Amino acid sequence: KQWYQRRVRGPKFRELAQHEMDSILPNLQVLARSSPLDKQTLVGRLQELGEVVAVTGDGTNDGPALKLADIGFSMGISGTEVAIAASDVVLLDDNFASIVVAVLWGRNIFDAIRKFLQFQITVNIVAVTIAFIGVVTTDQSSPLGAIQLLWVNLIMDTLAALALATEKPTPSLLERQPNHREEPLINRVMWRNIAVQATFQLIVCFVILYAGDLIWGFPKGGDVHYTLLFNVFVFLQLFNEINSRELGNRLNVFRNLQKSKLFIGVMVITCVVQVIFVELGGKYTSCARLSWDLWLESIAIGAFSLVIGVIQRFIPIKEKELPPRMAMVKNPNGVIVMPKTEIAENMIEPRREHEPEELFIVKSPKLDHDQEAFLESSPLHLTDRRTPGYGRGWEIVRQTRTKIAVVNAFKGGNHTYKDENSIIGMVRGYHRS
């Protein structure tokens, strides 16, 4: 029998064995006439196969699936209180197009966090290394003073966060594939960018620290020497902040920069404060005034990090191979199917022919007071009977089935287990576990 249908009815879906259900999931588009338990079962199986599942719903019957899903969307106008309470996101306008907006902003926030981390880690590596090695290898104090490090920390934590985290999303964010559930927050491409920029900045700063007097002719270890080092370090971070706008291998880091008014404002404010810090701070900021030549050279050296940013994007990096969300292959007819793997075989739940199907299906679409009270109390915990290969999502589905079976057993004596009293059968474990 073939199980490659794109449209399946709920009664037929719930009769499938687990390996049969897994085989149709890659192609399943419509699950018609489905009960709340069918929806919950579908969500649980998709999660066990590695998928990130989102569910939309507005009725009370959608509550179990909304609660189990990774992201539950409910309707703010037509949705019931149960659906809203079980969901993660409420669509206030009941418009499905708002889901696209939510996805767009969610990806934008995720990228903003990555951009900030990439920038911050680079600054930390360079600043800590210079401060530590400078103290160890020179007879004087740290090349970067306490007030200077405080200003660097302000650039790194506050202003950079405002600049990188407030950029508006672009439609191109919807063109890429979703992130894998197990994908690290800092991927290998980001580590490449951090390593290259940190190495370049350390080389520049160490050249100024140990050979700056020979290149520019000022006294070694003097105020002008360390002020130039601090000034170059700040401008390296400013231009690397522009580099951090692109996480991947795209070369144009100025793309849509004209639309980021706050980013431009932060850059301008940082430059103005840096000039005041150096030229007017004096002994309070441990700085000496610099000539126009030194200012222009500081900016030029810092801007060279943009050139390094272009070069680093040509360094090939292969991301870590993550397990597929669904192990999908095509059969000879070109139909996508779920292959039988060792993991899938271990997850197949044995079918018991003597157990009636009615024990695991709610006969009435509405629960009475006793059933609701029983389901809310959640007295059953099957963790000690967990089958190897099952995850938390599937366990919740199986617990719900058992609770419904117990409720039906209390309501009448029509359901038997091993020809014994139904309640006794449930207690002794003759139910489907």
Side-chain angles (χ1 to χ4, degrees), residues 165-232:
T166 56
E167 291 194 273
K168 294 182 179 180
T170 59
S172 60
L173 292 175
L174 297 175
E175 298 175 0
R176 71 187 189 194
Q177 293 294 322
N179 295 323
H180 196 280
R181 183 190 294 270
E182 300 180 8
E183 182 177 350
L185 183 60
I186 305 177
N187 56 28
R188 293 182 179 180
V189 173
M190 295 173 61
W191 282 120
R192 177 202 64 186
N193 299 339
I194 293 172
V196 172
Q197 286 293 331
T199 302
F200 166 70
Q201 293 182 19
L202 286 174
I203 292 175
V204 170
C205 291
F206 283 140
V207 168
I208 297 175
L209 178 62
Y210 296 112
D213 57 322
L214 300 177
I215 298 174
W216 284 279
F218 42 64
K220 185 176 182 179
D223 292 340
V224 176
H225 185 188
Y226 285 165
T227 301
L228 178 63
L229 174 63
F230 167 67
N231 205 40
V232 170

Side-chain angles (χ1 to χ4, degrees), residues 1 18 34 168 184 213 245 282 299 357 385 412 418 424:
K1 188 175 182 179
Q18 186 169 308
S34 57
K168 294 182 179 180
D213 57 322
R245 295 183 70 246
I299 296 174
E357 181 185 4
R385 299 181 182 181
K418 294 286 187 178
I424 297 177

Side-chain angles (χ1 to χ4, degrees), residues 322-371:
L322 299 173
R325 297 192 300 271
M326 275 195 190
M328 294 182 291
V329 297
K330 290 186 177 181
N331 65 1
N333 298 326
V335 180
I336 299 177
V337 298
M338 181 71 64
K340 291 184 179 181
T341 61
E342 182 179 354
I343 297 178
E345 291 292 338
N346 292 335
M347 290 193 299
I348 295 177
E349 184 178 353
R351 299 174 67 100
R352 300 181 183 179
E353 299 297 335
H354 63 272
E355 292 181 346
E357 181 185 4
E358 288 78 12
L359 297 178
F360 312 108
I361 299 176
V362 181
K363 292 185 175 182
S364 172
K366 295 183 179 181
L367 297 176
D368 58 24
H369 179 73
D370 294 336
Q371 288 176 317

Side-chain angles (χ1 to χ4, degrees), residues 258-277:
Q258 72 280 3
K259 299 180 180 179
S260 302
K261 302 297 179 59
L262 186 57
F263 186 95
I264 297 175
V266 168
M267 296 290 291
V268 172
I269 291 174
T270 304
C271 291
V272 172
V273 174
Q274 177 66 15
V275 173
I276 297 174
F277 197 90

Side-chain angles (χ1 to χ4, degrees), residues 119-130:
F119 173 76
Q120 189 179 47
I121 292 175
T122 304
V123 178
N124 281 331
I125 292 175
V126 178
V128 172
T129 304
I130 293 176

